[in-house]
């Protein structure tokens, strides 16, 4: 450490203050470190000063702790020392995307009979890049194959496809039969499987395949908030700073063919067989939810993890309030403790409002 | 309509295309790997006309020449030895002339001619004329001169003058390792006379700077390859796991001005410039690459360079 040369934070290491503690989100190396709020304040107030100078500011009463702080920052390469402090700007927090709709969820169950190809055609003109197809209860592999074939033939803008489907007897053969034919498929999640297995992409199979014993009975299973889903990357972080980290530029079709922000949401914008997606997108009611960033959501706005986290607007603690905390989040930023959301007595009312009891029951 | 000349495999081109689509800008992409049928390039007293792959290029308002050049010799004529060599030379003259024609009549960004005439020594001289610092450099065929140069500098490096070497025959395989330090042992092994060798003083750096520029817009990134000793010792392994820090830089105005003047002087309206910020606090120009990758600069600094490039063409189209 060079204690007599001014320090700077690397621009891609971003400080996020929570109510009880803060984080350094390292957007280059996808790393997150929890720091005390004292250190947050120290960094915000003193960036560009020397460590010697900072110690003096505190009348050399806290030299040890300041030393310890900066050693931690230096060891993790969050800071560097330079006299050229003015040429290093902050990282721009702009987020921008070359699509009208970036990603889409299409749900199908055994009764779904809406025209999916019609939707795919429209998604193409909206420059959609990612598609998630969720197949609840019965695996409808014919429909899945039709979708994938259409994407291939039409040279769709959709680059990646994620499939959720239930386990069935010949599923291994089925996966083998589609994996080389449909290179857009990059993730297949098989639920209600007799075994748990995670197959990462390799030279034989470009798709990530996951078998899980868990059961996804319906769209009610969505919206869980967990540390497992944290991601500190530039695109997601900047999007979260400006827009909703789940729903921005998303358009979904629920199992009945209704156009929605997300299949789990109550609000529908008409049947996809009769309403054009373009018209839904020009409806400000549909798009205003895209602007609900974490800084606007109660509790989340006090959370040190808010910009590396996912969100859920479908299931919230107070169904009446569009800025309410995600229901399925068990984190308390005041106490910094995680608890099980489904057993929290304060959430009982909301759980029964959404009919989520079945989802919360332990097997 | 915009003409894009690029490699099929160039990710940056694809990223710009996404934004062209977003803005609804028409484009024609011609890939340098494919045979591009030339209908005609015709000249008369009063007009010039160009048609490729049955597309009338008169409707082209601007060109982004990302990399490489078009192929107008059919694949069937490859592999005819000296005849093919001859045809390629004829083709080269044609391709360069078409570039000149388009350049004189339209906005034309990038250049095949500049890509192949990338002479590092010329660029050093031009940079010096623009009052940029350059490293002490020497080209020599003489061992004694090389030893003198070595002795007057703490450390020296060597690199290619133009292209990195890549020779593969049945007997040998030679690949460039890029810039390397020249050691006493290396010099000892040399004959008294040799083919021209390019050496430069090694400059101790605080950080490196990569500047991607497109017309008058500059996007600078600082690269901290010297952050701590651990990085140097276990350089390769460490780097895969933990990449060097790359952060945005706003260059001092006078440096940016000099660089801009330099780009005009070398007639390169897009490219990547490598600089060093030395431990003795100087900005030192190293070289310019006419076809530099900008994807990593854009991503690390959140610059959206691909969007900027598309916008540049939006202005021409409107």
């Amino acid at each position: 450490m060079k204690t007599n040369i001014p320090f700077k934070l690397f621009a891609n290491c971003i400080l996020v203050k929570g109510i009880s503690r803060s984080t350094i989100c390292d957007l280059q190396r996808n790393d997150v470190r929890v720091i005390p709020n004292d250190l947050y304040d120290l960094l915000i107030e003193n960036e560009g000063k020397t460590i010697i100078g900072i110690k003096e500011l505190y009348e050399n009463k806290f030299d040890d702790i300041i030393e310890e702080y900066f050693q931690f920052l230096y060891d993790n390469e969050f800071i560097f020392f330079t006299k050229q402090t003015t040429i290093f700007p902050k990282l721009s927090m702009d987020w921008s995307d070359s699509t009208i709709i970036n990603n889409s969820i299409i749900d199908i169950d055994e009764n779904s009979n809406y025209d999916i190809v019609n939707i795919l055609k429209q998604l193409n003109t909206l420059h959609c890049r990612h598609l998630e197809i969720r197949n609840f209860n019965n695996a409808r592999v014919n429909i899945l194959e039709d979708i994938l074939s259409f994407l291939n033939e039409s040279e769709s803008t959709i680059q990646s496809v994620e499939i959720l489907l239930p386990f069935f007897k010949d599923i291994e053969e089925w996966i083998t039969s589609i994996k080389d034919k449909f290179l857009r498929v990059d993730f297949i999640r098989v639920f209600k499987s007799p075994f748990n297995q995670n197959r990462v992409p390799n030279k034989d199979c470009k798709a990530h395949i996951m078998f899980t014993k868990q059961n996804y009975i319906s769209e009610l299973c969505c919206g869980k908030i967990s540390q497992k889903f944290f991601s500190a990357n530039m695109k997601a972080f900047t999007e979260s700073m400006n827009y909703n980290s789940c729903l921005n530029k998303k358009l979904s079709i629920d199992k009945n063919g209704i156009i929605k922000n997300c299949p789990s949401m109550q609000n529908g914008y008409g049947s996809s067989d009769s309403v054009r997606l373009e018209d839904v997108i020009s409806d400000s009611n549909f798009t205003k939810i895209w602007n609900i960033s974490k800084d606007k959501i109660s509790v989340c706005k006090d959370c040190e993890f808010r910009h590396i986290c996912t969100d859920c607007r479908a299931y919230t603690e107070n169904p009446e309030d569009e800025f309410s905390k995600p229901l399925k989040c068990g984190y308390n930023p005041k106490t910094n403790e995680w608890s099980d959301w489904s057993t929290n007595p304060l959430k009982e009312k909301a759980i029964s409002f959404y009919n989520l009891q079945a989802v919360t029951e332990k097997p | 309509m915009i003409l894009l000349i690029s490699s099929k495999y160039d990710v940056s081109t694809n990223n710009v295309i996404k934004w062209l689509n977003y803005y609804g800008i028409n484009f024609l992409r011609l890939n340098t790997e494919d045979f591009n049928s030339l209908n005609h390039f015709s000249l008369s007293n009063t007009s010039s006309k160009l048609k490729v792959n049955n597309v009338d290029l008169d409707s082209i308002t601007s060109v982004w020449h990302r990399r490489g050049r078009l192929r107008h010799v059919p694949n069937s004529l490859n592999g005819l030895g000296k005849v093919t060599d001859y045809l390629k030379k004829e083709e080269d003259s044609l391709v360069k002339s078409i570039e000149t024609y388009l350049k004189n009549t339209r906005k034309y960004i990038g250049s095949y001619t500049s890509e192949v005439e990338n002479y590092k020594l010329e660029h050093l001289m031009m940079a010096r004329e623009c009052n940029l610092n350059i490293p002490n450099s020497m080209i020599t065929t003489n061992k004694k001169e090389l030893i003198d140069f070595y002795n007057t500098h703490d450390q020296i490096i060597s690199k290619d003058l133009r292209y990195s070497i890549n020779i593969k025959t049945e007997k040998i395989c030679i690949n460039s390792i890029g810039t390397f330090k020249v050691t006493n042992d290396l010099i000892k092994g040399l004959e008294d006379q040799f083919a021209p060798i390019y050496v430069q003083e090694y400059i101790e750096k605080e950080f490196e700077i990569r500047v991607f520029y497109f017309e008058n817009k500059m996007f600078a990134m600082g690269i901290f390859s010297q952050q701590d000793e651990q990085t140097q010792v276990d350089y390769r392994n460490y780097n895969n796991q933990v990449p060097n820090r790359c952060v945005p830089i706003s260059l001092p105005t006078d440096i940016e001005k000099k660089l801009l003047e330099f780009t005009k002087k070398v007639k390169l309206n897009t490219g990547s410039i490598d600089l060093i910020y030395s431990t003795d606090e100087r900005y030192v120009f190293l070289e310019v690459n006419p076809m530099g990758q900008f994807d990593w600069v854009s991503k690390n600094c959140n610059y959206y360079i691909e969007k900027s490039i598309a916008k540049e063409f939006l202005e021409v189209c409107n």
Side-chain angles (χ1 to χ4, degrees):
Chain A
M1 283 208 302
K2 298 166 188 159
T3 52
N4 58 347
I5 297 177
F7 88 90
K8 287 283 291 181
L9 273 161
F10 284 108
N12 41 34
C13 299
I14 305 200
L15 300 169
V16 179
K17 191 175 193 177
I19 194 162
S20 300
R21 58 183 189 178
S22 300
T23 50
I24 297 179
C25 301
D26 182 343
L27 305 186
Q28 190 183 5
R29 297 176 182 166
N30 201 341
D31 188 15
V32 182
R33 300 301 175 89
V34 172
I35 57 166
N37 277 350
D38 286 348
L39 178 51
Y40 174 95
D41 294 334
L42 186 83
L43 289 170
I44 293 291
E45 282 161 30
N46 298 301
E47 188 175 6
K49 295 178 190 158
T50 66
I51 296 178
I52 291 180
I54 296 167
K55 286 177 178 169
E56 281 167 6
L57 277 177
Y58 291 88
E59 294 165 346
N60 291 92
K61 282 178 192 160
F62 304 104
D63 285 6
D64 286 354
I65 187 133
I66 290 171
E67 186 83 25
E68 192 190 322
Y69 278 164
F70 280 96
Q71 195 64 50
F72 157 80
L73 296 167
Y74 184 68
D75 288 346
N76 287 290
E77 272 193 279
F78 295 137
I79 57 166
F80 63 103
F81 300 96
T82 185
K83 290 178 191 161
Q84 298 301 308
T85 50
T86 55
I87 65 165
F88 293 100
K90 292 235 171 295
L91 190 74
S92 155
M93 282 296 127
D94 286 352
W95 184 89
S96 171
D97 185 67
S98 56
T99 65
I100 298 164
I101 290 298
N102 174 286
N103 60 90
S104 181
I105 301 177
I106 294 181
D107 278 0
I108 38 181
D109 69 1
E110 76 271 34
N111 301 316
S112 304
N113 62 357
Y114 57 94
D115 184 354
I116 295 182
V117 166
N118 164 42
I119 294 160
L120 297 177
K121 279 183 192 159
Q122 296 182 64
L123 286 176
N124 202 45
T125 64
L126 300 171
H127 312 281
C128 183
R129 304 255 191 265
H130 311 286
L131 174 66
E132 187 181 348
I133 312 165
R134 303 190 306 186
N135 193 172
F136 300 116
N137 44 61
N138 279 339
R140 299 186 68 181
V141 292
N142 291 340
I143 295 186
L144 293 176
E145 282 174 35
D146 285 350
I147 293 175
L148 295 171
S149 297
F150 180 80
L151 295 179
N152 271 7
E153 284 155 20
S154 62
E155 295 180 18
S156 168
T157 59
I158 292 169
Q159 306 162 335
S160 71
V161 178
E162 187 176 332
I163 298 172
L164 174 84
L165 81 172
F167 186 87
F168 58 94
K169 198 175 124 258
D170 299 321
I171 191 153
E172 294 278 6
E173 287 77 9
W174 184 74
I175 289 174
T176 310
S177 75
I178 66 151
K179 72 178 173 51
D180 297 330
K181 214 158 77 189
F182 304 116
L183 294 174
R184 284 179 169 82
V185 177
D186 63 1
F187 197 97
I188 301 176
R189 190 195 305 262
V190 182
F191 64 93
K192 232 178 163 180
S193 155
F195 53 89
N196 284 323
Q197 196 185 51
N198 190 16
R199 299 180 196 160
V200 296
N202 58 48
K203 65 180 193 322
D204 292 325
C205 182
K206 292 216 169 67
H208 187 152
I209 298 165
M210 191 186 242
F211 288 87
T212 172
K213 290 182 182 171
Q214 228 175 321
N215 187 10
Y216 293 86
I217 41 172
S218 72
E219 69 287 345
L220 293 172
C221 297
C222 195
K224 287 194 186 99
I225 305 291
S226 156
Q227 278 170 294
K228 277 187 275 181
F229 306 138
F230 284 179
S231 169
N233 73 65
M234 185 115 39
K235 193 95 207 233
F237 189 96
T238 49
E239 184 173 24
S240 169
M241 290 282 289
N242 298 284
Y243 301 100
N244 187 272
S245 52
C246 179
L247 298 178
N248 185 36
K249 292 207 180 204
K250 176 183 258 122
L251 181 144
S252 306
I253 311 292
D254 80 0
K255 59 195 176 199
N256 301 314
I258 306 297
I259 306 167
K260 292 180 169 180
N261 291 103
C262 142
S264 303
M265 295 192 76
Q266 315 280 323
N267 262 358
Y269 294 84
S271 159
S272 58
D273 285 335
S274 52
V275 180
R276 285 171 50 206
L277 303 186
E278 215 178 313
D279 295 334
V280 173
I281 294 159
S282 55
D283 180 346
S284 64
N285 285 318
F286 182 82
T287 53
K288 72 172 188 222
I289 208 163
W290 295 0
N291 295 311
I292 303 182
S293 65
K294 278 288 167 71
D295 292 325
K296 297 174 185 160
I297 297 171
S298 355
V299 188
C300 292
K301 65 183 169 206
D302 295 326
C303 180
E304 64 276 22
F305 300 119
R306 62 189 176 277
H307 294 307
I308 54 167
C309 189
T310 53
D311 184 45
C312 177
R313 291 295 92 211
Y315 307 120
T316 56
E317 288 193 342
N318 177 2
E320 313 270 286
D321 175 11
E322 59 179 345
F323 298 104
S324 170
K325 181 192 174 185
L327 176 65
K328 299 185 187 180
C329 171
Y331 185 66
N332 181 341
K334 274 192 190 135
T335 60
N336 305 130
E337 279 167 0
W338 290 86
S339 57
D340 185 356
W341 65 273
S342 62
T343 54
N344 185 337
L346 298 174
K347 300 197 183 210
E348 252 169 43
K349 225 170 120 184
I351 288 171
S352 69
F353 175 85
Y354 294 116
N355 287 321
L356 291 172
Q357 292 92 333
V359 181
T360 62
E361 274 165 25
K362 296 280 174 288
Chain B
M1 189 163 60
I2 295 162
L3 173 64
L4 306 182
I5 302 172
S6 185
S7 157
K8 249 185 221 178
Y9 309 103
D10 186 55
V11 178
S12 302
T13 307
N14 296 346
N15 290 339
V16 171
I17 284 177
K18 285 178 188 165
W19 283 103
L20 293 177
N21 284 332
Y22 180 80
Y23 290 123
I25 303 171
N26 284 328
F27 64 88
L28 171 69
R29 177 180 186 164
L30 298 177
N31 290 321
T32 54
E33 290 84 1
D34 305 330
F35 166 65
N36 287 285
S37 164
L38 179 66
N39 300 77
H40 61 244
F41 176 41
S42 43
L43 304 171
S44 74
N45 279 323
T46 49
S47 71
S48 319
K49 281 183 177 145
L50 178 62
K51 197 170 184 180
V52 178
N53 290 347
N54 298 325
V55 182
D56 211 329
L57 295 194
D58 296 332
S59 58
I60 294 291
T61 52
S62 48
V63 182
W64 182 31
H65 197 145
R66 166 76 187 132
R67 59 177 15 183
R69 64 167 174 81
L70 297 184
R71 305 195 176 280
H72 299 303
V73 175
N75 295 335
S76 56
L77 295 174
N78 281 333
L80 299 178
K82 287 196 170 151
V83 174
T84 305
D85 290 348
Y86 166 77
L87 293 175
K88 293 273 176 194
K89 275 185 194 146
E90 290 283 290
E91 183 196 33
D92 192 62
S93 144
L94 165 73
V95 169
K96 285 178 179 164
S97 302
I98 292 178
E99 179 174 318
T100 307
Y101 158 66
L102 290 171
K103 244 184 207 161
N104 290 340
T105 48
R106 301 153 168 77
K107 180 184 176 102
Y108 196 107
I109 295 174
S111 162
Y112 167 64
T113 314
S114 315
E115 187 185 2
V116 288
E117 288 175 7
N118 178 20
Y119 303 137
K120 287 177 188 163
L121 296 174
E122 277 185 33
H123 293 160
L124 279 183
M125 291 185 279
M126 301 279 203
R128 189 179 56 189
E129 277 178 39
C130 299
N131 295 314
L132 288 157
N133 287 309
I134 58 168
N136 288 335
S137 305
M138 181 179 74
I139 301 88
T140 179
T141 61
N142 183 302
K143 185 171 180 175
K144 194 182 163 298
E145 293 281 343
L146 178 60
I147 292 172
D148 285 349
F149 189 82
Y150 179 77
N151 288 336
T152 47
H153 297 93
D154 287 344
Q155 296 184 72
I156 65 171
I157 58 103
S158 178
K159 56 184 181 179
D160 312 286
L161 273 169
R162 188 174 175 187
Y163 299 126
S164 33
I165 188 169
N166 186 5
I167 298 169
K168 215 175 183 180
T169 67
E170 282 169 18
K171 286 181 193 153
I172 51 163
C173 177
I174 310 173
N175 275 311
S176 176
I177 52 164
T179 304
F180 61 92
K181 278 191 187 169
V182 178
T183 61
N184 209 1
D185 282 352
L186 258 177
I187 297 174
K188 268 189 203 158
L190 294 172
E191 307 278 326
D192 287 340
Q193 300 288 343
F194 34 76
I197 286 180
Y198 178 24
V199 284
Q200 236 171 26
E201 68 170 311
Y202 173 78
I203 296 170
E204 209 65 60
K205 59 199 168 194
E206 189 177 318
F207 49 86
E208 294 172 62
I209 303 168
R210 164 62 72 106
V211 185
F212 175 80
Y213 68 95
F214 194 87
E215 297 241 90
N216 297 330
K217 289 198 179 102
M218 297 222 160
F219 305 90
M221 176 170 85
I223 305 162
F224 289 76
S225 44
Q226 311 270 324
Q227 170 79 346
D228 74 66
E229 285 167 29
Q230 227 178 323
T231 326
Q232 289 172 321
V233 176
D234 208 358
Y235 182 74
R236 267 167 223 178
N237 287 339
Y238 190 69
N239 254 11
N240 286 339
Q241 298 291 317
V242 188
N244 287 329
R245 284 286 178 205
C246 296
V247 294
I249 280 192
S250 46
L251 289 169
T253 325
D254 66 312
I255 297 292
E256 198 167 305
K257 257 191 200 149
K258 287 174 187 173
L259 289 176
L260 211 55
E261 189 193 335
F262 167 80
T263 66
K264 307 277 187 246
K265 222 167 215 163
V266 297
K267 296 196 175 63
L268 289 172
N269 51 20
T270 184
S272 290
I273 298 171
D274 287 330
L275 301 166
I276 276 180
Y277 186 75
S278 66
T279 46
D280 59 359
E281 303 182 10
R282 293 179 306 143
Y283 290 88
V284 184
F285 173 94
L286 293 183
E287 59 180 72
V288 61
N289 176 354
M291 292 290 147
Q293 290 297 342
F294 59 81
D295 221 43
W296 65 305
V297 179
S298 187
K299 289 221 168 74
N300 276 308
C301 301
N302 204 30
Y303 279 148
Y304 290 99
I305 294 174
E306 50 289 337
K307 185 181 178 182
S308 257
I309 292 175
K311 265 190 171 164
E312 200 76 34
F313 289 112
L314 186 64
E315 284 159 25
V316 184
C317 289
N318 290 341

